[in-house]
Amino acid sequence: MELTERLLKLTDTYCAARGVSDATVSGIIFKNSRTIPRIRRGGDVTTRNYSRAVGWFSQHWPDDYAWPPAIERTPAGEVQA
C-alpha cells in the first residue's frame, strides 16, 4: 500500500468516526485545508508530511475505533514534527 493510500485510509476512518471533512482534518494537520483533497485527486505526499499526519492521527485517534491494521502507528509518546 502506497503512502497516499495509507494516509487516505486513516483520513477516511477518522473523518467517519468524528463526522468531519477532509478539509477540516487537512487544515488541522497541515495548516492547509486543500492538502488532503489534493492527494485524494491524485496528488502526492512527502514522507515528512506522511509522518506528520500519522503522528497526529496516532495522538488523536478515537478510542472507540480500531486503527487500520495495515498501517503502522506512531508509538505512544513519540511526537512527529
Side-chain angles (χ1 to χ4, degrees), residues 25-74:
V25 172
S26 184
I28 294 168
I29 296 171
F30 301 113
K31 311 294 187 256
N32 184 336
S33 63
R34 295 181 303 243
T35 300
I36 292 175
R38 176 185 52 77
I39 293 167
R40 194 171 296 285
R41 291 190 309 272
D44 204 0
V45 63
T46 64
T47 54
R48 178 177 291 178
N49 278 342
Y50 175 78
S51 180
R52 174 186 300 158
V54 172
W56 187 89
F57 281 124
S58 291
Q59 292 178 346
H60 298 92
W61 199 257
D63 292 333
D64 55 340
Y65 271 75
W67 183 268
I71 302 170
E72 290 185 35
R73 189 171 187 172
T74 301

Side-chain angles (χ1 to χ4, degrees), residues 1-14:
M1 184 182 300
E2 292 185 20
L3 293 183
T4 54
E5 293 171 304
R6 293 175 189 177
L7 176 59
L8 294 176
K9 178 67 174 172
L10 288 172
T11 301
D12 290 344
T13 306
Y14 183 86

